[in-house]
């Protein structure tokens, strides 16, 4: 699956904390775009997703977020404005 900035949905990937020996394979898969084929990886698309967790916290976009049981993630259309200077190679 490929995420798009323009389709009105967001993509969420979920997996358990990997064992140390799995990290090299995961990094390679992230680099070559095959992470979605990894056996312990699940992906979801939506505008609003409820995540239930038995853990005390989860990692969201590189940040630790404390969680008590569940968290709802919602897409907020047009909530992030990006200014990109005109020029060669600037594409979104």
């Amino acid at each position: 699956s490929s995420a798009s900035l323009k389709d009105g949905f967001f993509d969420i990937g979920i997996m358990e904390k990997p064992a140390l020996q799995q990290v090299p394979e995961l990094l390679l898969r992230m680099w070559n775009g095959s992470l979605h084929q990894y056996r312990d990886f699940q992906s979801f698309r939506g505008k609003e997703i409820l995540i239930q967790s038995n853990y005390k916290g989860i990692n969201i976009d590189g940040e630790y977020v404390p969680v008590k049981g569940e968290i709802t993630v919602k897409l907020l259309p047009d909530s992030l404005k990006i200014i990109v200077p005109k020029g060669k190679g600037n594409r979104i």
Side-chain angles (χ1 to χ4, degrees), residues 35-79:
L35 184 60
H36 64 281
Q37 297 171 340
Y38 186 68
R39 67 184 174 276
D40 294 329
F41 181 82
Q42 296 178 331
S43 63
F44 303 91
R45 298 188 60 180
K47 294 183 181 197
E48 182 173 332
I49 295 178
L50 172 68
I51 300 171
Q52 296 177 329
S53 174
N54 294 328
Y55 297 100
K56 294 179 181 176
I58 59 177
N59 181 313
I60 298 179
D61 200 24
E63 299 291 327
Y64 176 82
V65 177
V67 174
K68 292 185 179 180
E70 63 185 43
I71 184 170
T72 300
V73 181
K74 296 180 183 180
L75 180 69
L76 302 174
D78 300 320
S79 61

